[in-house]
Amino acid sequence: MNCSGSRPRARRLRGEPRSNGHVQAMPDRGWLVPLLPFLSFLVIVFGTYRQARLSGYVSVAGIALSAVCSLALLGKGLLGGVASPAPLTWIQMGGFELQIGILLDPLSLMMISVVSVVASLIQIYSLGYMHDHEYSRFYSYMSLFAFSMLGLVVSANFAQIFIFWELVGLCSFLLIGFYYQKHSAARAAKKAFVVTRFGDLGFVMGIVSLTWLGMKAGVGVSDALSFENLAQFLTQIPADYKQWIPWVALLIFCGAMGKSAQFPLHVWLPDAMEGPTPVSALIHAATMVAAGVYLVARTYPIFHFDPWVLGIVAVVGAITALVAATLALVQTDIKRILAYSTCSQLGYMMLSLGAFGYGAGVFHLMTHAFFKALLFLGSGSVIHALHTNDIWKMGGLYPKMKDTSITFLIGTLALTGFPLLAGFWSKDEILTNLLHTDAPNHMILFGLALLVAVMTSFYMFRLWYLVFSPVRQAPSGTHESGKVMTLPLWILAVFSIVIGFVGTPWANFFGHFIHYGEGGHEAGFSLTVGLLSLAVFATGWYLAKTFYRSTELPYAKILSIPGIRETVALVSTCLTDRFWGIVVRGIVINRIARAAAWIDTNVIDLAVNVVGWTVKGTGFVLRFFQTGKVQTYATYMLAAILIIFFWFFR
């Protein structure tokens, strides 16, 4: 049985060898993966809304069952093969036909597994974190988001993915502004919604442009927008129109820049920390912000069509990674540090994809989801205990919060590339690819990536020493979070340790499963990169230990040097939304708004008013002739007849 009710069409996985007759791919119920969270959303809204605790259990059950289905599909994909259900005809008008369907290939199987497993653990954590609130509204939003994100991942074409793309944006708006009584939360929600709209405008223009190219190629809309046939479709575009393909790729990349908070559309992500910490972990660390990276990976044939487009992707990713890491160095809010870290790592992924490192970028996307969710949930455990986000009001938490301290340290080690942990394998694969790739300026990009790695190690160990180091004194009344919160931390910590072993240079199972046929290098082990990576990790750790472990912090002496504090303030101002508030809002938007207001008043309104005045004047004149008296109308008719008669027979 399949979701369409018609005979399924088996689809061979990308990179999978053709069937040898021993394994038969059977149609799978991939539609259950997004459907189960949606059903839990409906049950909460229409059934358990007044019973908040029960709503939490319903939400956890929906996403947990979805995780089970996702892992079962992933297992089938690894062992034999998974067949996507046959697509359904959604819209049909004359020769226009648009289909919807479920696409199950290695990339989508990996993503639905990561999203559903991480979301399940975060939902369980939420039962403890939101215990004092017990909002059914919170659990309904989380279930709706899980449905939207999973639907985005399994979408079979551009039209379908754009619908879920906007649904994800709506859920982000609702969850960031969950505490809508706070002015800062409401403002952050609006900011995230508006900033990402700039990118989404480019995305929808790219979809329209792709449809136009399909018309020129004589290809139906469904085939032009289908992900499965994308590479083949590009070969069918007439030679005179192929120069437009890179521009379509850039428009699509605009959407990815908005969702994945790439420079200069990165300014919404730090403010998004106004939402509850489970929201930060789910949406703004592990899943939603990864949607932009997933979109580039999903549409990689378009980007791979012309190398200069991938060059732009790499440069934007490198700038984002460097800018976000720079800002993370000086933050004092624990969640904002992690937010800028997320932004920086997303830049790392884009950098890898742009430098022909398809497998490395997607691999880092997977590993990052686990250890960054762990770090955010760890920060939530600290905030839940101390009721503050300020790292200067924390310190010495290790003796009193050992579970949180140890798991947070594991997440920190994974993110900074400690040997044999998840981030070590994925980060080193990106660095190795940058070192050996044929991409333009790859050595400059490699140097920037190393610099960002040093900064990452420094600001993450700065965070750990200031918050957990036993050298400092813990605030009174500090206590460990409950088991329902610490259990997901330990599970994510285990993932952060072992998940990287699926992509080691010697047995790269992940690379063979996700492999993109024409994209990039299958980089092997590089002793040079391994030694550099270890040196980078050690340098950042040593500097952070020197500056922040002791109670007499020597960084204060550095900041006392004339000009240093002002330079840091200037850099922070120029790279954050204060600069864009001045440039974009003060100069561009306000001037455009004034010009648009003038045109609206003096051109559009004038034209409309002229029409109105004409109609009104005509009616005023005609009312003298429309008296309602039959005698008057007979007189008009007789006069008209006489005039016509004398005109023709004069």
Side-chain angles (χ1 to χ4, degrees):
M1 179 180 180
N2 58 78
C3 64
S4 66
S6 59
R7 185 176 181 180
R9 181 177 64 188
R11 294 176 179 173
R12 187 168 60 90
L13 296 177
R14 181 190 298 163
E16 175 195 351
R18 297 187 182 276
S19 175
N20 56 11
H22 298 290
V23 177
Q24 179 67 36
M26 297 298 292
D28 291 279
R29 298 182 179 91
W31 45 269
L32 280 175
V33 175
L35 179 62
L36 289 168
F38 183 68
L39 290 178
S40 65
F41 165 74
L42 295 179
V43 170
I44 293 171
V45 171
F46 297 106
T48 65
Y49 196 79
R50 296 184 181 276
Q51 303 175 52
R53 199 65 179 171
L54 182 57
S55 296
Y57 295 142
V58 171
S59 180
V60 170
I63 190 60
L65 289 174
S66 179
V68 171
C69 293
S70 300
L71 293 174
L73 288 171
L74 178 62
K76 291 189 69 174
L78 290 170
L79 294 175
V82 177
S84 303
L88 290 168
T89 298
W90 180 25
I91 301 174
Q92 187 169 15
M93 295 183 297
F96 177 85
E97 181 181 2
L98 185 60
Q99 295 179 333
I100 56 173
I102 301 294
L103 179 59
L104 300 176
D105 67 348
L107 181 61
S108 62
L109 290 175
M110 181 276 294
M111 279 297 296
I112 60 175
S113 300
V114 171
V115 170
S116 58
V117 169
V118 172
S120 299
L121 295 172
I122 293 173
Q123 289 278 49
I124 295 171
Y125 175 94
S126 300
L127 295 177
Y129 189 87
M130 303 296 290
H131 176 72
D132 296 336
H133 307 288
E134 296 188 343
Y135 289 118
S136 287
R137 179 166 57 91
F138 172 81
Y139 297 118
S140 66
Y141 289 168
M142 293 286 272
S143 295
L144 182 62
F145 168 77
F147 158 71
S148 304
M149 187 64 199
L150 291 169
L152 184 153
V153 171
V154 298
S155 294
N157 57 58
F158 279 98
Q160 191 176 342
I161 200 174
F162 186 75
I163 295 173
F164 287 106
W165 189 271
E166 294 303 313
L167 263 178
V168 165
L170 171 64
C171 294
S172 176
F173 170 79
L174 295 174
L175 286 165
I176 294 171
F178 181 76
Y179 299 123
Y180 58 87
Q181 302 90 343
K182 293 172 57 180
H183 176 71
S184 58
R187 189 167 178 265
K190 290 186 291 184
K191 180 178 180 180
F193 194 80
V194 171
V195 172
T196 53
R197 294 287 77 72
F198 284 97
D200 292 353
L201 176 62
F203 187 18
V204 73
M205 291 174 62
I207 295 175
V208 173
S209 301
L210 203 62
T211 306
W212 172 72
L213 289 177
M215 294 171 58
K216 297 299 181 182
V219 176
V221 174
S222 293
D223 291 329
L225 300 182
S226 171
F227 293 137
E228 189 179 30
N229 302 323
L230 187 57
Q232 180 182 357
F233 163 65
L234 295 178
T235 64
Q236 297 174 317
I237 296 175
D240 294 342
Y241 293 93
K242 286 189 175 181
Q243 69 268 23
W244 295 105
I245 296 177
W247 299 103
V248 173
L250 290 178
L251 289 172
I252 294 173
F253 183 58
C254 288
M257 288 175 62
K259 275 290 188 290
S260 287
Q262 298 296 287
F263 184 87
L265 301 181
H266 67 290
V267 293
W268 67 269
L269 187 60
D271 289 349
M273 298 302 107
E274 290 290 339
T277 301
V279 172
S280 303
L282 179 64
I283 295 184
H284 308 111
T287 57
M288 192 202 83
V289 291
V293 180
Y294 173 78
L295 179 65
V296 175
R298 171 57 69 198
T299 59
Y300 206 65
I302 299 180
F303 290 89
H304 195 262
F305 183 84
D306 199 320
W308 73 268
V309 178
L310 284 178
I312 293 176
V313 174
V315 170
V316 170
I319 293 174
T320 303
L322 181 62
V323 167
T326 303
L327 291 170
L329 295 173
V330 294
Q331 299 300 310
T332 59
D333 186 310
I334 185 172
K335 288 173 64 176
R336 281 180 174 262
I337 295 173
L338 297 178
Y340 279 119
S341 173
T342 298
C343 191
S344 180
Q345 295 304 305
L346 291 169
Y348 239 94
M349 300 170 204
M350 289 292 190
L351 169 59
S352 179
L353 290 172
F356 305 107
Y358 177 89
V362 176
F363 186 34
H364 197 56
L365 170 63
M366 182 193 69
T367 59
H368 175 265
F370 290 102
F371 54 71
K372 187 52 66 69
L374 169 61
L375 290 169
F376 263 106
L377 294 186
S379 71
S381 181
V382 173
I383 295 170
H384 188 264
L386 302 181
H387 305 289
T388 180
N389 290 28
D390 192 343
I391 59 176
W392 295 111
K393 297 179 181 179
M394 303 174 186
L397 299 183
Y398 175 76
K400 297 186 177 182
M401 300 183 68
K402 289 188 177 180
D403 287 338
T404 301
S405 302
I406 294 173
T407 54
F408 198 95
L409 179 60
I410 292 173
T412 299
L413 293 172
L415 174 60
T416 54
F418 185 76
L420 304 184
L421 271 67
F424 170 78
W425 302 111
S426 57
K427 177 175 68 68
D428 274 24
E429 187 173 348
I430 292 176
L431 292 174
T432 304
N433 178 76
L434 288 173
L435 185 62
H436 298 291
T437 186
D438 297 327
N441 303 315
H442 67 99
M443 291 306 298
I444 296 177
L445 298 176
F446 178 75
L448 288 175
L450 282 178
L451 176 60
V452 171
V454 174
M455 297 166 73
T456 302
S457 180
F458 176 77
Y459 67 68
M460 285 307 303
F461 280 106
R462 165 185 180 260
L463 172 60
W464 196 89
Y465 280 121
L466 287 178
V467 175
F468 297 104
S469 176
V471 175
R472 305 182 69 196
Q473 184 65 37
S476 60
T478 304
H479 59 85
E480 183 61 273
S481 302
K483 294 295 183 183
V484 72
M485 293 175 63
T486 56
L487 178 61
L489 294 180
W490 279 109
I491 296 175
L492 287 169
V494 172
F495 273 112
S496 300
I497 295 172
V498 304
I499 196 66
F501 286 99
V502 302
T504 63
W506 304 282
N508 195 349
F509 301 108
F510 185 88
H512 293 306
F513 183 62
I514 298 292
H515 176 71
Y516 176 74
E518 301 176 358
H521 305 265
E522 292 292 337
F525 176 74
S526 173
L527 181 60
T528 302
V529 171
L531 293 175
L532 282 174
S533 179
L534 185 60
V536 161
F537 165 82
T539 301
W541 165 77
Y542 179 77
L543 290 174
K545 176 178 177 292
T546 302
F547 282 6
Y548 294 102
R549 187 182 182 186
S550 65
T551 54
E552 298 179 2
L553 301 176
Y555 81 95
K557 298 179 181 179
I558 297 176
L559 290 179
S560 65
I561 299 175
I564 295 295
R565 188 182 297 274
E566 290 77 13
T567 302
V568 172
L570 178 63
V571 171
S572 178
T573 300
C574 290
L575 297 181
T576 58
D577 52 350
R578 279 179 277 179
F579 171 76
W580 296 110
I582 296 172
V583 174
V584 178
R585 183 180 59 197
I587 299 176
V588 179
I589 295 180
N590 284 353
R591 291 185 181 276
I592 292 176
R594 290 192 184 97
W598 186 89
I599 294 173
D600 181 62
T601 303
N602 298 283
V603 178
I604 298 176
D605 283 355
L606 180 61
V608 173
N609 290 337
V610 167
V611 174
W613 295 332
T614 303
V615 173
K616 183 178 180 180
T618 304
F620 180 80
V621 173
L622 290 177
R623 71 175 187 166
F624 293 106
F625 298 95
Q626 298 292 333
T627 62
K629 297 179 180 179
V630 177
Q631 298 90 333
T632 304
Y633 297 152
T635 303
Y636 294 158
M637 292 175 62
L638 179 60
I641 293 172
L642 291 174
I643 292 172
I644 294 172
F645 178 81
F646 285 111
W647 176 263
F648 284 101
F649 298 100
R650 66 180 185 275

